[in-house]
Amino acid sequence: SNGSGLSTPPEIFSRRDVMTTAATSAAAWALATPWGEEAFAGTPKLTFLYICFPANAAGSAGLASKLSQRDPAQLKNSVFNIPPGAQVYPEFLRGEWEVSMKYRGFLFPSTSIPKEKLVSNVGIPGFQKLSIAQVGDVGREVTNYRMNIDQSTGLDDRKVSLSTSINAHVGYEAVREVLYDVKDNANRISIDFIPQRTRNANRIELFCNARESELVSAESSASGQTVFVCSEYIRQVTFGLSQEFGVARQVVGNYAHFWTWKGDENDKSTVKGNLLTAAYLDAQDPMFFEEPSKPVVVYSHDLVAKRAS
């Protein structure tokens, strides 16, 4: 406690702190910049830049309520049950967009596992390149990719968004093909890489275990702007080269994306947002029972999308 009745905020790490205290860790390269000291000012909980919910949002049930509490403990891993349907996006997000993703920072929210122990675990999503498909290099300062959302169906063209994001994050053309049929199976995506172009992945299989979404109208939003939030819980299986001849390396990771998008009635050519990515321990990880459902790392990226000309 800090004497005000509030618990002490999670520790914030600077680039210098991380590289000094964890330089010998194989995972240290991924932990680059702070979430932003101003984001924690006066509060022991997370501040999400683009979530502007009314005061009664926390009293409702749903994703907006979960995020409005600004608490990483609320970002628990989802228990797989009924396969979710495809995500449908609202009108203000439909069309073709050029997206700029800017890395804002990270947080170790676990109170059960020391950060020194976590950063030594290279199996945690985000600690190695391509261990989170949509954000192939978590610590990359700025990444530009395309997002195409169908005007009539409201469905995201995952082939475009994933391939352009992965190529931009690794810095070269790495993806050979993205296999995805939303009608056949909305919850599985296969990503094939150009042979011998990437060290960490020959193929990635993505399995979506759950999705949530909520649209907060401008009338109900504290900012007076329309806010759309959506989440996707992913199990990623990455296949790559191993040191044993003829045997493929296989790595399993579990994480969830939490998107927030804010529309502007006065400027429909630009939308701003934020992407939180919560990384969880896999059930086969030796540390799993120390933190079985809450995230052990949360990454934050700011998003600016401009309509493609």
Side-chain angles (χ1 to χ4, degrees):
S1 173
N2 58 13
S4 63
L6 299 176
S7 57
T8 302
E11 188 174 1
I12 304 166
F13 304 95
S14 69
R15 181 192 296 270
R16 182 179 59 188
D17 291 338
V18 171
M19 300 311 293
T20 300
T21 60
T24 57
S25 167
W29 66 270
L31 310 178
T33 59
W35 196 306
E37 283 82 354
E38 70 278 7
F40 291 86
T43 174
K45 298 184 179 182
L46 299 181
T47 296
F48 302 114
L49 284 184
Y50 298 108
I51 298 177
C52 303
F53 298 117
N56 62 357
S60 63
L63 184 58
S65 171
K66 183 186 300 182
L67 293 177
S68 71
Q69 296 181 48
R70 301 175 180 179
D71 181 359
Q74 296 298 317
L75 309 182
K76 291 182 180 180
N77 200 1
S78 176
V79 178
F80 178 76
N81 41 40
I82 300 174
Q87 178 61 62
V88 177
Y89 288 83
E91 292 288 341
F92 79 89
L93 279 171
R94 298 184 184 187
E96 298 184 4
W97 303 88
E98 299 286 351
V99 183
S100 175
M101 173 186 287
K102 183 178 181 180
Y103 180 57
R104 187 164 181 79
F106 66 95
L107 183 72
F108 290 115
S110 177
T111 58
S112 304
I113 307 175
K115 73 178 190 300
E116 293 81 7
K117 189 175 180 181
L118 287 171
V119 298
S120 67
N121 186 346
V122 295
I124 293 174
F127 283 11
Q128 295 192 68
K129 287 187 178 181
L130 297 176
S131 57
I132 298 175
Q134 183 67 47
V135 192
D137 184 353
V138 168
R140 186 182 176 95
E141 293 293 336
V142 178
T143 305
N144 299 310
Y145 67 96
R146 292 183 66 89
M147 179 175 69
N148 294 352
I149 298 177
D150 189 88
Q151 290 281 9
S152 58
T153 64
L155 299 177
D156 181 15
D157 186 339
R158 303 302 292 271
K159 295 181 180 181
V160 170
S161 59
L162 278 169
S163 62
T164 58
S165 180
I166 290 172
N167 288 341
H169 272 100
V170 299
Y172 53 86
E173 186 176 352
V175 177
R176 179 169 62 180
E177 187 178 17
V178 176
L179 302 173
Y180 182 56
D181 187 340
V182 67
K183 294 181 179 179
D184 180 58
N185 186 350
N187 302 313
R188 180 170 182 174
I189 302 175
S190 298
I191 305 167
D192 285 334
F193 290 82
I194 298 172
Q196 299 180 342
R197 289 301 301 273
T198 59
R199 183 177 64 180
N200 287 353
N202 289 336
R203 189 175 89 253
I204 288 176
E205 298 287 339
L206 300 177
F207 302 91
C208 180
N209 294 330
R211 290 188 181 93
E212 294 179 87
S213 65
E214 190 169 352
L215 182 66
V216 180
S217 67
E219 293 76 17
S220 300
S221 170
S223 67
Q225 295 174 296
T226 301
V227 179
F228 178 69
V229 293
C230 61
S231 66
E232 192 169 64
Y233 293 80
I234 297 292
R235 182 173 178 83
Q236 175 174 324
V237 183
T238 305
F239 299 90
L241 299 175
S242 70
Q243 295 181 345
E244 186 176 350
F245 179 77
V247 178
R249 167 180 168 268
Q250 180 176 321
V251 178
V252 177
N254 298 278
Y255 54 87
H257 292 307
F258 299 87
W259 284 274
T260 299
W261 291 105
K262 185 170 67 172
D264 187 345
E265 286 296 322
N266 298 319
D267 183 9
K268 296 185 178 181
S269 66
T270 303
V271 293
K272 295 182 179 180
N274 179 260
L275 171 62
L276 294 176
T277 303
Y280 310 102
L281 294 174
D282 185 70
Q284 302 302 314
D285 193 290
M287 293 188 288
F288 175 74
F289 290 103
E290 296 180 64
E291 199 68 274
S293 61
K294 296 178 184 178
V296 290
V297 185
V298 180
Y299 310 102
S300 178
H301 292 82
D302 293 341
L303 305 171
V304 177
K306 297 184 178 294
R307 289 199 179 274
S309 55

